[in-house]
Amino acid sequence: MIQHYILLCVLTSLQSYAVTIGPVADLVIANAQISPDGFIKSAVLAGGTLPGPIITGQKGDTFKINVTNHLNDETMLTGTSIHWHGLFQRHSNQMDGAAFVTQCPISPGHSFLYEFNAGEQVGTYWYHSHYGVQYCDGLRGALIIYDPQDPYRFLYDIDDESTVITLMDWYHVPSPQVQRQVVPDSVLINGVGSYPGVQDTPYAIINVQPYKRYRFRLLNMACKPNYVFSIDDHKLIIIEADGQYVEPLIVDSIQIYAAQRYSFILETNRPVDNYWVHAVPNLGISSMAILRYAGSPDADPEIRLTPNPVALQETDLHPLYLPLPMLLQEDGAAIKLNIVLGQNETNFNFLVNGVQYTSPTIPVLLQLLNGDVSTSEMATNGSIYFLPRNRVIEISWIPDLAPARPHPFHLHGHKFAVIRSAGSSRYNYINPVLRDTVNTGFIGDYVTIRFITDNPGPWLLHCHIDWHLYSGMALVFAEASQDVAASQPLSDSSKQLCPIYYSLPQQNFSLPPSN
């Protein structure tokens, strides 16, 4: 009976990406017992699958996702919120989904309608819980906005739910019990993996037809690791990074950090056969899937090596469309901020410029709308930076003092230009890659980004290793605070979230015990 249940759960995971919803849909968040790697555990699922259903839309669509909270497993968080990662939320900051920044969590037994228009944005995005470390328990899925005027449309034949590839880490204990130094128990590719000691777990299968051109969309949905991704004997032609078109770049492997996304074109011009798909994490065991050509046997691939491997270097990525010239003027930054990452030697929590970020009890957005606009009055004091409107902001990381590198940093509400990348000593003011999540590197790196403050509201900047965010590695930009009320009147449903949340008994989880 148990073996049958495990097989059923795995098969459910294997089939999960047949599910697509949107742009108008209901999304139920509920607990379920699942076994994506052969080990049965309780999880937090969106739409009943791991990963959650793919949410799709077309350029210019208005998304209306009604999220209903049916969580009841108190070994994990029972409130929830959903962040739509990479979407700018212009005039809809209250829909950004960052708990205690733009909203209170959705309480069990209640619903919240996330309604937003993505404007001109197209490409590969994702959604995940932004409450505590809840998304590590499973609440994560892809969000794809298709572009009818895709400039690369003539380069590929197929781009649908079958060409989405998700990578994630998986843990065998509830997220509140995960210690910071823990190594993931397994790597899941499209929701399927295995862990040492369990045999006969199937591989995720990526089916393709010979002599076709596929646009694959690769997403790192991990809470911690980065991965080196490759497909034996196949080249990968990168055309998108974090929702931004890039000039085509041919590589053999892609190192993808937590929360980053890439689109690549793959031509199925090799002999009809099975080929290994690799996801090698920077910590923990590797995972593989199978790229299966139609007509090949139902068998594991032979071992192959890709000759003369060419690895992706971020400095080789260049935007297809350049940003506004004001972003690329060498001396054009109105405000320059250095970010020093550190650690409290007493409790081992993380510090950003000497301050540990902690979530306020009243969301920052509500504080701004209530008129609390001075730095000294705002909670959380020391972690909120006020920025004027329509200025070029330059941020540089000095990560030498913080352990557990490298740190992938994500900025809500914006794309940014990576003026200087990790591993490079050069500044690029001509054609730097545009993205929303950047690797800040190792000792000696001095990563620099620039963005324009054209989107009023409070926006998080944080490490996307979720354990690091939870233990303090974040800050909030209060952008054009005097314009927030005019740009987005707070909806009645947004106003109701906090009173409902604070009227119910709350679960309190301490920080993980060690770093």
Side-chain angles (χ1 to χ4, degrees):
M1 180 66 70
I2 292 178
Q3 290 179 339
H4 173 74
Y5 178 77
I6 290 174
L7 178 61
L8 177 62
C9 290
V10 172
L11 289 175
T12 298
S13 294
L14 283 167
Q15 297 168 359
S16 66
Y17 269 106
V19 179
T20 61
I21 62 174
V24 178
D26 292 313
L27 188 65
V28 174
I29 310 302
N31 298 115
Q33 295 284 320
I34 64 170
S35 178
D37 62 358
F39 182 91
I40 299 175
K41 67 158 287 188
S42 180
V44 176
L45 301 184
T49 62
L50 179 73
I54 302 173
I55 298 175
T56 64
Q58 296 285 326
K59 180 179 180 180
D61 279 349
T62 294
F63 288 80
K64 297 180 181 180
I65 310 298
N66 188 50
V67 174
T68 301
N69 182 353
H70 285 171
L71 297 173
N72 56 17
D73 186 340
E74 294 187 355
T75 67
M76 297 170 281
L77 292 173
T78 54
T80 194
S81 71
I82 308 294
H83 171 55
W84 315 95
H85 185 108
L87 298 185
F88 302 152
Q89 299 293 354
R90 295 190 188 280
H91 306 294
S92 55
N93 176 264
Q94 61 192 292
M95 299 297 167
D96 190 50
F100 304 110
V101 177
T102 61
Q103 69 168 87
C104 282
I106 306 166
S107 298
H110 294 268
S111 298
F112 182 73
L113 177 64
Y114 287 95
E115 182 174 356
F116 52 87
N117 188 290
E120 296 296 304
Q121 287 190 264
V122 295
T124 307
Y125 305 93
W126 64 301
Y127 63 94
H128 60 83
S129 170
H130 216 302
Y131 179 33
V133 288
Q134 187 180 63
Y135 91 72
C136 307
D137 287 313
L139 205 175
R140 37 192 161 174
L143 191 157
I144 311 299
I145 304 178
Y146 294 102
D147 184 0
Q149 288 82 42
D150 182 350
Y152 291 128
R153 186 63 188 87
F154 66 95
L155 292 181
Y156 59 85
D157 306 304
I158 300 169
D159 174 25
D160 56 25
E161 64 271 14
S162 72
T163 64
V164 174
I165 302 174
T166 63
L167 310 177
M168 69 173 73
D169 47 354
W170 194 242
Y171 303 85
H172 291 170
V173 297
S175 63
Q177 299 175 25
V178 174
Q179 298 188 19
R180 296 181 204 169
Q181 285 188 329
V182 75
V183 173
D185 291 295
S186 61
V187 177
L188 307 183
I189 302 177
N190 282 356
V192 180
S194 63
Y195 74 99
V198 174
Q199 299 178 349
D200 299 327
T201 53
Y203 295 103
I205 307 298
I206 301 170
N207 291 298
V208 294
Q209 297 288 330
Y211 302 106
K212 296 290 185 180
R213 302 167 302 170
Y214 289 81
R215 175 179 178 165
F216 281 103
R217 297 172 183 266
L218 179 68
L219 303 92
N220 183 347
M221 296 180 175
C223 289
K224 192 170 187 179
N226 64 73
Y227 302 99
V228 176
F229 176 89
S230 62
I231 301 176
D232 281 351
D233 215 19
H234 288 76
K235 297 288 185 181
L236 316 176
I237 307 172
I238 299 174
I239 60 170
E240 177 211 351
D242 293 359
Q244 305 297 319
Y245 290 119
V246 296
E247 295 177 355
L249 178 67
I250 302 175
V251 299
D252 294 307
S253 66
I254 296 172
Q255 187 167 19
I256 182 168
Y257 294 86
Q260 290 185 334
R261 295 89 62 209
Y262 291 100
S263 282
F264 62 86
I265 295 170
L266 181 139
E267 297 184 23
T268 53
N269 54 9
R270 309 306 300 161
V272 171
D273 207 343
N274 295 291
Y275 297 86
W276 286 120
V277 178
H278 302 273
V280 181
N282 65 316
L283 73 164
I285 60 172
S286 299
S287 185
M288 293 186 293
I290 297 175
L291 182 76
R292 176 163 291 162
Y293 280 57
S296 61
D298 184 3
D300 291 350
E302 298 178 0
I303 296 176
R304 294 181 176 84
L305 296 175
T306 300
N308 303 315
V310 177
L312 168 64
Q313 303 294 327
E314 188 174 65
T315 50
D316 291 333
L317 292 171
H318 303 295
L320 182 63
Y321 306 120
L322 290 176
L324 294 174
M326 64 185 293
L327 200 64
L328 302 181
Q329 296 175 11
E330 186 168 349
D331 298 321
I335 297 174
K336 295 185 178 183
L337 296 174
N338 284 340
I339 292 182
V340 179
L341 304 179
Q343 188 177 47
N344 185 314
E345 297 301 326
T346 301
N347 59 19
F348 303 108
N349 293 330
F350 286 106
L351 306 174
V352 178
N353 290 345
V355 179
Q356 175 189 333
Y357 176 80
T358 55
S359 295
T361 55
I362 300 175
V364 177
L365 175 59
L366 297 185
Q367 294 185 60
L368 292 175
L369 293 176
N370 288 335
D372 298 332
V373 295
S374 73
T375 303
S376 61
E377 294 172 337
M378 292 287 289
T380 154
N381 190 15
S383 292
I384 298 180
Y385 292 65
F386 284 79
L387 299 178
R389 188 165 189 169
N390 293 327
R391 298 289 189 273
V392 174
I393 311 299
E394 181 175 292
I395 301 172
S396 296
W397 279 269
I398 307 174
D400 291 11
L401 302 177
R405 310 173 192 90
H407 300 288
F409 262 77
H410 170 53
L411 175 61
H412 290 220
H414 298 274
K415 65 176 180 289
F416 50 72
V418 185
I419 302 298
R420 178 171 165 174
S421 295
S424 175
S425 60
R426 296 185 178 181
Y427 291 85
N428 182 353
Y429 299 103
I430 300 173
N431 56 356
V433 66
L434 305 172
R435 62 186 325 153
D436 58 52
T437 306
V438 69
N439 160 39
T440 58
F442 293 95
I443 292 176
D445 282 321
Y446 197 78
V447 172
T448 300
I449 66 169
R450 282 183 175 181
F451 69 98
I452 299 172
T453 52
D454 56 1
N455 194 9
W459 304 108
L460 264 175
L461 174 70
H462 66 90
C463 179
H464 223 289
I465 295 174
D466 223 31
W467 321 109
H468 295 180
L469 165 60
Y470 187 42
S471 52
M473 195 175 284
L475 57 81
V476 176
F477 288 126
E479 181 176 329
S481 58
Q482 70 281 3
D483 298 334
V484 172
S487 68
Q488 48 186 313
L490 201 64
S491 69
D492 289 339
S493 56
S494 292
K495 294 176 183 178
Q496 294 170 3
L497 286 172
C498 287
I500 294 172
Y501 177 78
Y502 284 114
S503 70
L504 299 175
Q506 300 303 311
Q507 295 290 331
N508 294 312
F509 297 108
S510 62
L511 293 174
S514 62
N515 187 13

